[in-house]
Amino acid sequence: MNRFVTANPSKCIGCRTCEVACALAHSDGAGVEGLGPESFKPRIRMVKTADVSTAVMCHHCEDAPCVNSCPNNAIVYRQHSVQVEQERCLGCKNCVLACPFGVMDVVTVPAVRQFAVMTLSLGVKAQAHKCDLCIGRDAGPACVSVCPTNALTLMDRDAMDETLRRRRERAALEAAEVAA
Amino acid sequence: MEKHMAVCPYCGTGCKLNLLVEGGKVVGAEPLNGVTNEGELCLKGYFGYDFINDTKILTPRLRNPMLRRSRDAAFEAVSWDEAIQYAAKKLSEIKAKYGPDSIMTTGSSRGTGNETNYVMQKFTRAVLGTNNVDNCARVCHGPSVAGLQVTLGNGAMSNSIPEIEHTKCVLVFGYNVADSHPVIAKRIIKAKERGAKIIVCDPRKIETARLADLWLPLNNGSNMALVNAFANVLINEGLYDKEYVANHTEGFDEYRKIVDKYTPEYAEAITGLPAEDIREAMRIYAAAPSATILWGMGVTQWGQGVDVVKGLSGLALLTGNLGRPNVGVGPVRGQNNVQGSCDMGVLPTEFPGYQKVTDPEIREKFAKAWGVPSLPDQIGYRLTDVPHLAETGKLKAMYVMGEDPAQTEPDLTQVRKGFEAMEFVIVQDIFMTKTAMFADLILPATSWGEHEGVFSAADRSFQRFTKAVDAKGDVKHDWEIISLLATAMGYPMHYDNTREIWDELRELCPIFYGVTYEKMEGLGAVPWPCRDLDSAGSKYLYEGNVFQRPGGKGLLFATEWRPPRDQLTEEFPLILCTVREVGHYSCRSMTGNCAALQTLADEPGYVTINPKDAKALGIRDQELVWVSSRRGKVISRASVTDRTNKGAVYMTYQWWIGACNELTIHAVDPIAKTPEYKYAAVRVEAIADQVWAENYVQQEYAKLKGGLSNAVTGATNKAPAYA
Ligand code: SF4
Ligand code: SF4
Ligand code: SF4
């Protein structure tokens, strides 16, 4: 099963701490002072409507529409998650339209090439941009660790099994009550 | 990487954290397992530290003392010696010419800490010889202190923050906990998970209203009517605790007479709430085995704030929800150390430790300890009186420390006139602020992160914070600056460190005596009263239902509802209520200089408006609009949302361009003198030329930022010797 981060709307208070943590976790070490209106591109977004506040991000679908829609096989399943191979991304935006949750985006980043002594600017490069589960971050998903109300959880097979077990137990209890 | 323990400088929750330091620079913050935060931090706690590093995003840090010899001159950087001598001379002259009561000082409820506040009030009373010392509690929880002192005898939260999680009912009144105290919001969510009922009284659909069992969207300005109706239901439905009322309260008959008229049906017309919902709320509240009332600025920032506070404490008294764990009344403090500045006596009425300036024995005790023949016995001026006092010539000099009244006080035009009318203004701060632009002398202080001390959390817990980095530039600790000034004015004052100050004040304040630096080591938190060295402090007040009033009983108090002061008219048909948002703090001098926080929200800020009102005015979401009142006119960005009730608009108060305090009214509570920030009649207008408006905002913003920054760089360049 692919892992994914899930948000609990009855706990979310709409504070956007997760957004900042996500942007920071992908800032290549620039730290908070590197953040600004242009560079702020979190892969998780807090959504507030009249009745709901919650965070939305990639579900790391098992049969992912974004993966299926990519003409250049840039989106792959890796380490129990859906990941983008940025070198292969064309910026065609098929995946953006394919994702039913609106959590895939295409952004442009400055493209550079490093030589031994110099950095060469190559204009801009498109990137399919979405939650990568903070892959490679030792402490795991940054958003989950900062949420002040613990509204976010990392769901892996074990967490999912535990949730399902609890739901079945509740269903059984409810069934027993109905029978009694 | 080094780690330095600190307490978050952004709200009264008092979250403990480590500042991560690399190469003399703060590079991160991580939560610690403090008593109130238990390993959590919010947006500001995690990402609100980079202002220390002088990011200059909004305003520059102050690096040198700066003096301007006449109001039309530019600031020049001067040496500390010159700055202190100049201030001492000016203050002494003004004191000699107009008397001590022509000078006023402020404490700071922010990053400076309790020790500084103690030293400031000592300077004011012992050296200047006046009780004219106040702090920004005046504009926030002043009414809570004034009200609770009358009814229960103590102005603070009765129970501790961790207990909120274990109560069986939370009544949230005029308190947007998610935006004000996110880490306390978690406690409420946990309480709910443990089966507590949540009742929310707020005109807006705030986050807590979403998870409430019952949400009462009352009309803006109807608080007193609702609270009286609550009491009416408790009494008339026999839901109150008769034994408790008989044994532990007084004033019941008088109280009953007043609330008798406020039947839910009568209140329905004023509050706009169905009578049945008002009843239901009190049935839930009274049925809970333990219940907690929490409130915020939605209760206090009114012309009738004190009365409503008294009324709320009455509900707790009627139902016996005091004097034991997991119950009580909670005025949850906004600024991180506003509880502390009150604790330390930066109040015109009280010495540190809530000892009255009008009590001759107390005065005698302090005079003896401070080595002066006598101390002033007249109650001093309040912060909100300042503009008027200055304009009428009663106040000639002001020493403002770590506050920005030219941003945060109501009716800013009035405030500016006040500052201009004064002969001598000292501003002591870490940043160049709008208030500092009125100063004759600017004294640069060390910031949170650059000094140590003790803060008081909202629940009366004293906690220590340590220094993480060395300050850059020619700056000094706040308490050091005050001591130098005192000495220059002929009162030798010297402290080696904050502990020395703390030990001096402990000795003078019986309720703090047992709170030693040792007990606050590491994650230690000690809630006062703590009278003995072997006591761990008091998590909750009024043990055994003994109230801190003569006779030991709680006072039941009610009064008639009064409509708000400002009048809605055809010209100004909407109610403006000022609020706060999660990412910014106070006047924004700190958070506005934090990259992450400024990225999430920048000028001109939002005015939130209901879709129906917006449609009628031809305003679309995210468009720039004019907001005007009888007092001023500002530009703001519309946020059209169903969460805002029809007929009212809301603005946060930290913006310069969208400065809602240009619009607010100077109508204050008669007792606490807290302004009615929550109700001003305004008009909102669409702007046809949005491109012009966007440019206007950018230009004005750049102009303001440039003005502040030039004042600092100009002065520093002129005198490179001190740069
Ligand atoms: S950090 Fe948590 S509470 Fe805040 S917006 Fe994100 S999910 Fe919601
Ligand atoms: S981007 Fe959208 S479609 Fe692709 S895995 Fe994530 S949620 Fe599924
Ligand atoms: S798991 Fe990492 S990448 Fe995904 S939303 Fe959270 S912080 Fe962003």
Side-chain angles (χ1 to χ4, degrees), chain A residues 6-9 11-21 44-47 53-57 143-144 146-152, chain B residues 41 43 182 189 210:
Chain A
T6 125
N8 180 347
K11 286 189 177 180
C12 176
I13 55 168
C15 68
R16 300 175 73 191
T17 312
C18 51
E19 291 187 11
V20 179
I44 180 170
R45 287 289 184 172
M46 188 276 297
V47 177
S53 301
T54 196
V56 289
M57 56 268 144
C143 55
V144 175
V146 299
C147 173
T149 59
N150 296 353
L152 301 173
Chain B
L41 288 179
L43 187 63
I189 292 168
R210 286 200 307 121

Side-chain angles (χ1 to χ4, degrees), chain A residues 5 22 26 44 131-134 141-143:
Chain A
V5 173
C22 180
H26 298 84
I44 180 170
C131 163
D132 61 6
L133 282 181
C134 290
C143 55

Side-chain angles (χ1 to χ4, degrees), chain B residues 84-130:
Chain B
I84 296 291
Q85 291 309 328
Y86 188 87
K89 186 166 156 277
K90 274 290 204 183
L91 290 177
S92 304
E93 278 169 12
I94 290 173
K95 180 179 165 182
K97 192 163 163 200
Y98 306 105
D101 290 334
S102 64
I103 309 175
M104 168 133 197
T105 66
T106 78
S108 171
S109 303
R110 301 171 62 187
T112 185
N114 282 335
E115 291 86 345
T116 293
N117 280 304
Y118 171 79
V119 172
M120 182 54 114
Q121 61 81 36
K122 177 175 175 182
F123 169 76
T124 311
R125 296 188 159 112
V127 184
L128 297 177
T130 174

Side-chain angles (χ1 to χ4, degrees), chain A residues 11-12 32-33 49 51 53, chain B residues 49 53 193 207 210 643:
Chain A
K11 286 189 177 180
C12 176
V32 16
E33 285 169 53
T49 71
D51 302 311
S53 301
Chain B
Y49 55 80
N53 304 333
E193 284 174 349
E207 292 297 339
R210 286 200 307 121
R643 291 199 182 192

